[in-house]
Amino acid sequence: MTDPMVLRAEAAQKTLDQFKDRPLVYGTRDCVRMAAAHLRRMGHSVKLPAAGSYRSPRSGMKALKARGFDTLAGALDGLGFARIAPAAALVGDIIQMPGNAEIGALAIAMGNGRALSYHEDVVGAVIVQPIETLAAWRVEPRG
């Protein structure tokens, strides 16, 4: 059996490789799609609206509310992931940070206090040092 930490690191690296040079496009390549891709790599089932069904943070909020959630945090809670202290996040866990819009931002914990996230000053997802973390969820690898 493969060590769970190895599975976490492999999934996080593959997510970084997929999103690192690809510009943010709401509804196609954004923090929600990135988190969903990562969760699938970790063996979890995640259903999202069709690609392109939202094109801005505002329409993303509408899509989220149409699925019965008021926040991204509520959606992750709804998937059954346990909330943890952000400082306890391991590689591969999901964290939430403030964003430029009401919807906020999701990121993948990469270890050593860093995270994979989209950032307004860079094309593609990058490794950032979060200044503020609003919430975090433990994501255990499956299978």
Side-chain angles (χ1 to χ4, degrees):
M1 185 169 131
T2 305
D3 182 332
M5 288 304 291
V6 171
L7 294 173
R8 289 169 164 281
E10 288 173 349
Q13 183 62 52
K14 286 177 183 177
T15 303
L16 170 61
D17 293 344
Q18 180 183 353
F19 288 89
K20 68 180 176 183
D21 295 321
R22 306 199 59 202
L24 174 78
V25 177
Y26 289 108
T28 304
R29 282 185 310 276
D30 56 39
C31 67
V32 171
R33 301 259 172 208
M34 182 176 67
H38 176 70
L39 292 170
R40 289 182 188 115
R41 284 189 175 94
M42 296 278 282
H44 298 274
S45 177
V46 180
K47 294 182 181 179
L48 294 176
S53 62
Y54 60 93
R55 297 182 185 271
S56 69
R58 185 176 177 188
S59 60
M61 277 300 296
K62 286 182 182 179
L64 187 64
K65 289 181 180 188
R67 294 191 172 265
F69 301 105
D70 290 331
T71 63
L72 288 175
L76 282 162
D77 291 339
L79 290 171
F81 296 113
R83 284 202 191 210
I84 58 171
L90 300 173
V91 173
D93 287 337
I94 301 293
I95 63 172
Q96 184 181 26
M97 302 179 300
N100 289 341
E102 173 190 359
I103 197 165
L106 295 179
I108 314 305
M110 298 300 280
N112 200 25
R114 292 181 171 66
L116 174 62
S117 176
Y118 276 99
H119 189 280
E120 63 198 25
D121 294 334
V122 183
V123 173
V126 294
I127 304 297
V128 298
Q129 178 74 50
I131 295 170
E132 181 181 0
T133 305
L134 303 175
W137 292 265
R138 176 71 71 224
V139 180
E140 295 295 345
R142 291 185 177 166

